[in-house]
Amino acid sequence: MVQGRVQMNTITYSAAISACEKGCEWQKALALLSSMAQGRLKMDTIICSAAVSACEKGGDWMRAVELLQAMLQNVVRVDTITCNAAMSACENCCEWVRALKLLGSMEQEQINMSIISYNVAISTCGRGGEWVKALELLRSIVQARLQTDTINYNATIGACMRSCEWLKSLNVLNTMVQAKVQTDLSTYTYAISPATLEQVGLWR
């Protein structure tokens, strides 16, 4: 009976933290985690991942990263989804340095780096204008034999544009077309803006 009650409490906490995630109530999610720790209830990957995601949606990247680090220290299994959520929190706040460190930690901890992981990292670098890092990550996708897509190419082109690297953005567009990756309106909005064309002498 005692074991059944403990299991029921864990399920209840899991449901409550998931509700906090959906409602972007990261403070309440962390408070629930603290309550679980005080009650010595087992925290698993699903529960902690929901809390990390709540921090992401609430715009608190520091809490998301701290929780991820706590999971590693307490030997709670960290998966790709958890790491992606933490990196997304960094993306929302343009914390590209932290996002790249998280990506490096995934490799170090032998956590599978999905195309979403790379896309989030590239997008974060793009928002921070770190076009060199964005290009390096795009090459890493190819080296890892993952499928490049519209999202990572657009993010890389956008990073070049924000740093006024107009020729680089056009080169990435050319590579994108040669690789037969589907382009969209955002691709050409980034790569062939009037400012870009003016810089390369094609705009009057």
Side-chain angles (χ1 to χ4, degrees):
M1 291 295 292
V2 174
Q3 185 177 359
R5 284 199 298 271
V6 171
Q7 184 179 6
M8 189 63 185
N9 284 338
T10 301
I11 293 172
T12 304
Y13 273 111
S14 180
I17 292 173
S18 293
C20 292
E21 174 196 0
K22 294 176 182 177
C24 303
E25 295 285 351
W26 63 267
Q27 297 99 328
K28 293 180 180 179
L30 294 181
L32 288 167
L33 277 183
S34 178
S35 180
M36 287 187 72
Q38 292 175 4
R40 296 184 178 181
L41 295 176
K42 184 178 181 180
M43 290 178 280
D44 58 19
T45 304
I46 296 175
I47 292 173
C48 292
S49 293
V52 171
S53 183
C55 294
E56 174 217 339
K57 292 177 180 177
D60 195 323
W61 70 270
M62 292 185 66
R63 295 287 186 181
V65 172
E66 287 174 0
L67 182 52
L68 182 64
Q69 292 173 341
M71 289 175 69
L72 293 171
Q73 292 172 359
N74 292 304
V75 200
V76 177
R77 189 177 67 86
V78 176
D79 60 13
T80 305
I81 296 174
T82 313
C83 292
N84 288 350
M87 283 199 296
S88 292
C90 296
E91 175 191 4
N92 295 335
C93 299
C94 299
E95 290 288 337
W96 65 271
V97 174
R98 181 63 65 176
L100 292 182
K101 286 183 178 180
L102 288 175
L103 193 67
S105 295
M106 290 179 71
E107 183 176 9
Q108 183 178 358
E109 297 292 334
Q110 297 183 332
I111 299 170
N112 180 51
M113 293 184 287
S114 67
I115 191 64
I116 295 176
S117 308
Y118 281 104
N119 284 355
V120 172
I122 290 175
S123 181
T124 308
C125 291
R127 290 190 177 193
E130 293 294 325
W131 64 274
V132 175
K133 296 294 184 182
L135 283 173
E136 289 176 355
L137 288 169
L138 189 62
R139 296 190 190 103
S140 296
I141 292 175
V142 177
Q143 292 172 358
R145 296 183 179 179
L146 294 173
Q147 184 65 48
T148 53
D149 59 20
T150 307
I151 296 173
N152 45 58
Y153 267 104
N154 282 358
T156 305
I157 291 171
C160 294
M161 181 202 67
R162 290 186 183 92
S163 301
C164 301
E165 292 290 337
W166 317 111
L167 287 175
K168 290 292 184 182
S169 66
L170 292 175
N171 287 339
V172 175
L173 173 60
N174 183 53
T175 303
M176 183 179 184
V177 172
Q178 290 181 348
K180 298 182 179 179
V181 176
Q182 183 176 356
T183 58
D184 60 14
L185 180 60
S186 295
T187 309
Y188 294 103
T189 299
Y190 285 143
I192 315 181
S193 64
T196 304
L197 297 177
E198 182 178 3
Q199 289 295 321
V200 297
L202 297 177
W203 181 264
R204 294 288 187 271

